[in-house]
Amino acid sequence: AQKVTQAQTEISVVEKEDVTLDCVYETRDTTYYLFWYKQPPSGELVFLIRRNSFDEQNEISGRYSWNFQKSTSSFNFTITASQVVDSAVYFCALRKGSGGSYIPTFGRGTSLIVHP
Amino acid sequence: AAGVIQSPRHLIKEKRETATLKCYPIPRHDTVYWYQQGPGQDPQFLISFYEKMQSDKGSIPDRFSAQQFSDYHSELNMSSLELGDSALYFCASSSPSRGRTEAFFGQGTRLTVV
């Protein structure tokens, strides 16, 4: 069975602070994919990143960076110099890597509030 | 670029009524997924279709049914609506050309049952 744990229910920061959103996963699959989605107050799910289980290279995209640690089954997401527009619920998701359709298991989400 | 289109965006129904949600996947995407997200909850997988056939089934109530049509659009039919069905319903689609490793979500249909 697959499981994604986002232990932080809500994080509140002041603009320009750095913030890290934690994601810990469980899976028996050797091949899998990890995702982060952003859900702003408007409700849509915005895809941020996909990482496959064979690629542990960390990734940086502007103010966003992701730290994939297979040894600790974690896929953490850091926002540098946060902005008010970053306020949203962020979901981490996991999907098995082979066979069948795309059915990710989502974490419960972390609500990020960035205050001006 | 074309995205997943869901209609309607908002829907208000009374208890015991029926509702039909529509999803138009990205062109050339052959797989459609439906999710339900209750208030403050994570998205829960309901059902998926591949090439017009049901491929996987999640926590979809018996009162709900869905299908994928020849043009790949999908409809989620919900009958005998209950207050607890109030949620944001997402449709997502994926493409064989990308190995279906990535699903693109629509903006969701917000269903309110009163």
Side-chain angles (χ1 to χ4, degrees):
Chain A
Q2 298 179 135
K3 185 178 178 182
V4 176
T5 302
Q6 293 179 255
Q8 305 148 308
T9 305
E10 184 176 296
I11 300 176
S12 184
V13 299
V14 177
E15 211 171 15
K16 295 182 184 163
E17 283 186 27
D18 298 347
V19 58
T20 295
L21 282 60
D22 298 333
C23 173
V24 174
Y25 62 91
E26 296 175 31
T27 180
R28 292 180 184 159
D29 295 311
T30 54
T31 306
Y32 51 89
Y33 292 89
L34 293 160
F35 305 81
W36 276 97
Y37 286 88
K38 173 182 180 180
Q39 188 173 43
S42 51
E44 71 269 28
L45 276 171
V46 179
F47 167 81
L48 295 178
I49 190 172
R50 177 195 69 212
R51 174 67 60 201
N52 75 53
S53 52
F54 296 109
D55 181 6
E56 288 193 68
Q57 188 173 7
N58 292 327
E59 183 160 338
I60 297 175
S61 175
R63 295 183 299 104
Y64 295 171
S65 62
W66 290 270
N67 184 359
F68 177 30
Q69 297 277 341
K70 213 167 175 179
S71 59
T72 56
S73 297
S74 65
F75 186 43
N76 297 336
F77 172 32
T78 297
I79 301 175
T80 303
S82 59
Q83 300 176 1
V84 173
V85 294
D86 296 327
S87 297
V89 179
Y90 291 86
F91 290 97
C92 180
L94 165 71
R95 178 227 163 185
K96 66 178 181 180
S98 60
S101 51
Y102 171 96
I103 309 173
T105 299
F106 283 84
R108 298 301 296 269
T110 296
S111 177
L112 173 64
I113 303 168
V114 182
H115 299 280
Chain B
V4 177
I5 306 295
Q6 289 187 246
S7 69
R9 291 291 312 279
H10 301 273
L11 189 59
I12 300 175
K13 289 285 185 178
E14 294 188 357
K15 281 195 316 184
R16 292 181 288 278
E17 283 192 319
T18 61
T20 297
L21 279 54
K22 297 185 179 182
C23 169
Y24 298 87
I26 293 171
R28 290 180 292 284
H29 282 201
D30 59 3
T31 308
V32 167
Y33 316 84
W34 285 97
Y35 288 82
Q36 178 193 56
Q37 185 181 23
Q41 303 295 314
D42 54 295
Q44 294 292 317
F45 171 70
L46 292 178
I47 195 167
S48 63
F49 292 88
Y50 164 65
E51 281 293 343
K52 293 152 278 184
M53 299 286 290
Q54 180 183 309
S55 53
D56 286 283
K57 196 170 180 180
S59 52
I60 185 169
D62 292 340
R63 299 177 289 106
F64 294 6
S65 65
Q67 57 182 323
Q68 186 178 33
F69 295 86
S70 58
D71 63 351
Y72 294 101
H73 94 273
S74 178
E75 295 184 4
L76 178 65
N77 299 294
M78 310 159 71
S79 62
S80 302
L81 287 169
E82 302 173 356
L83 295 178
D85 296 329
S86 296
L88 190 55
Y89 289 84
F90 285 106
C91 171
S93 71
S94 64
S95 164
S97 68
R98 297 176 69 89
R100 297 188 190 81
T101 58
E102 195 173 302
F104 296 86
F105 285 82
Q107 291 191 299
T109 293
R110 189 170 296 281
L111 171 67
T112 303
V113 182
V114 297

